[in-house]
Amino acid sequence: MNGITLHLNSAVRSERIDAVSSFVGSDASGSFGIQPGRARLMTILDYGLSRFCTAHGDWVYLACPGAVLDFADNQLTVSTRRYLCDGDYQRISALLAGQLAEEETALKSVKDNLQQLEQELFRRLRNLDRWPA
């Protein structure tokens, strides 16, 4: 087997990494690993770090706020809103704790505001039904 071709896709960029010898990630069921020749797999990666090993034996860390992972025929596709890659564990951990955590907090705030707006809209619609024609 020649290895895995990793396709990283985000909203603003894509990259292809050839000759990946293994990938380690985690989903709702726990940690898992992928090596060349594995059976098809689709899952949702948790918020946090995954890692993959290049043909040279170097580990590269992948930080993302959750992602869809699809593996078939030695093609591994990771699709996410945003991702960061780095070979330095300390640096990528700091970026995950800082940059991505801030983005997730901001996104949660937007989601909360949308939920409040939706609730207010439904409340007003219910009140419209009570008005006489």
Side-chain angles (χ1 to χ4, degrees):
M1 309 253 161
N2 291 335
I4 297 168
T5 301
L6 175 60
H7 304 273
L8 297 173
N9 301 313
S10 76
V12 295
R13 69 180 176 147
S14 295
E15 72 184 277
R16 174 184 165 153
I17 302 164
D18 293 316
V20 170
S21 61
S22 65
F23 179 91
V24 178
S26 64
D27 62 9
S29 66
S31 293
F32 62 90
I34 297 174
Q35 292 183 325
R38 187 193 193 290
R40 179 162 193 152
L41 170 71
M42 286 189 80
T43 191
I44 305 296
L45 291 177
D46 289 336
Y47 175 93
L49 287 178
S50 297
R51 62 186 172 140
F52 58 91
C53 188
T54 65
H56 304 294
D58 300 322
W59 283 100
V60 179
Y61 298 92
L62 172 66
C64 61
V68 175
L69 179 142
D70 180 24
F71 179 77
D73 300 323
N74 289 335
Q75 301 292 311
L76 176 59
T77 303
V78 177
S79 301
T80 182
R81 284 189 336 267
R82 181 146 192 262
Y83 68 88
L84 303 167
C85 276
D86 199 313
D88 184 317
Y89 177 79
Q90 297 298 329
R91 186 169 41 231
I92 196 82
S93 294
L95 287 171
L96 181 65
Q99 212 173 357
L100 287 180
E102 286 175 19
E103 287 177 16
E104 285 303 299
T105 301
L107 183 60
K108 183 183 180 326
S109 174
V110 168
K111 286 180 180 179
D112 290 345
N113 288 340
L114 285 173
Q115 186 176 22
Q116 289 173 358
L117 181 63
E118 184 180 63
Q119 289 172 355
E120 179 63 20
L121 180 63
F122 284 137
R123 186 186 66 76
R124 288 183 183 199
L125 285 172
R126 279 191 306 270
N127 288 340
L128 285 176
D129 287 343
R130 295 181 192 156
W131 286 358

